[in-house]
Amino acid sequence: MPQIPEKIQELTVGQLAARSGAAVSALHFYESKGLIHSRRTSGNQRRFSRDALRRVAFVRAAQRVGIPLATIREALAELPEGRTPTADDWARLSASWRSELDERIQQLNRLRDHLTDCIGCGCLSLETCVLSNPDDVFGERRAGSRLLVERRGSTVAGGSGAVSARESGCCGD
């Protein structure tokens, strides 16, 4: 990792990329999302203050644990502009994300545990298909994978016999 002398207070996008390990395109993306900021020189080149190094590290660490960029942006907005995020900042902000991450972990564990129960056929009425039809809520209403209601003597394929997904109870309604 190239060293940048302390007397240099602004970094080019290339220097920021080399020091942070993030691709230049990622830095441009972060800037477009308001996660980091630069100023433009008279030659229209980007210059980042040194605090951008810590901000990029903060963004990448938060992304690694699955925090959405919008949430990261909100967290960084709480910090004064030009100030490097500290370990205390990270501790405070990451603590607020903990319950969200714990819930996601529990959800993924449930999905993993039920993965072998799924037959992958798309049928939404099997009692054992806990991924597509938790607690067999569709099976109590109708049988079949389409969940279409047939009207007496009419076909459900089209015309007046067709029933919308909303009417049939499909799609979680």
Side-chain angles (χ1 to χ4, degrees):
M1 199 177 301
Q3 294 296 318
I4 299 169
E6 286 292 322
K7 66 181 178 179
I8 296 177
Q9 293 304 309
E10 291 187 317
L11 309 172
T12 66
V13 70
Q15 290 171 321
L16 182 58
R19 289 284 295 148
S20 68
V24 170
S25 60
L27 297 174
H28 289 169
F29 179 74
Y30 292 163
E31 186 177 18
S32 74
K33 296 299 181 186
L35 299 166
I36 58 175
H37 305 282
S38 69
R39 73 168 187 85
R40 297 292 182 137
T41 66
S42 59
N44 203 29
Q45 296 174 329
R46 288 178 170 90
R47 293 293 185 265
F48 295 89
S49 60
R50 289 183 75 90
D51 72 292
L53 280 168
R54 184 68 62 91
R55 287 177 180 264
V56 170
F58 185 95
V59 169
R60 295 182 80 199
Q63 280 186 298
R64 261 186 241 115
V65 296
I67 304 301
L69 287 178
T71 304
I72 298 168
R73 182 179 51 245
E74 290 169 9
L76 286 171
E78 294 178 18
L79 303 176
E81 189 62 38
R83 193 186 106 214
T84 302
T86 65
D88 288 340
D89 292 329
W90 176 257
R92 178 176 46 82
L93 294 169
S94 64
S96 68
W97 301 331
R98 188 173 196 84
S99 63
E100 180 184 336
L101 290 174
D102 287 342
E103 175 56 36
R104 273 198 247 158
I105 290 167
Q106 289 174 359
Q107 185 179 32
L108 287 170
N109 283 334
R110 282 191 302 271
L111 285 172
R112 181 203 57 215
D113 294 344
H114 293 300
L115 188 59
T116 55
D117 296 338
C118 180
I119 60 173
C121 71
C123 179
L124 299 178
S125 65
L126 293 178
E127 284 186 46
T128 60
C129 190
V130 296
L131 297 178
S132 298
N133 185 18
D135 302 320
D136 195 29
V137 293
F138 295 120
E140 293 173 8
R141 292 190 218 158
R142 300 245 175 254
S145 62
R146 301 276 190 275
L147 295 176
L148 295 176
V149 179
E150 291 186 24
R151 294 191 179 159
R152 280 188 221 174
S154 65
T155 172
V156 295
S160 64
V163 178
S164 74
R166 181 174 298 276
E167 291 171 345
S168 72
C170 182
C171 306
D173 288 332

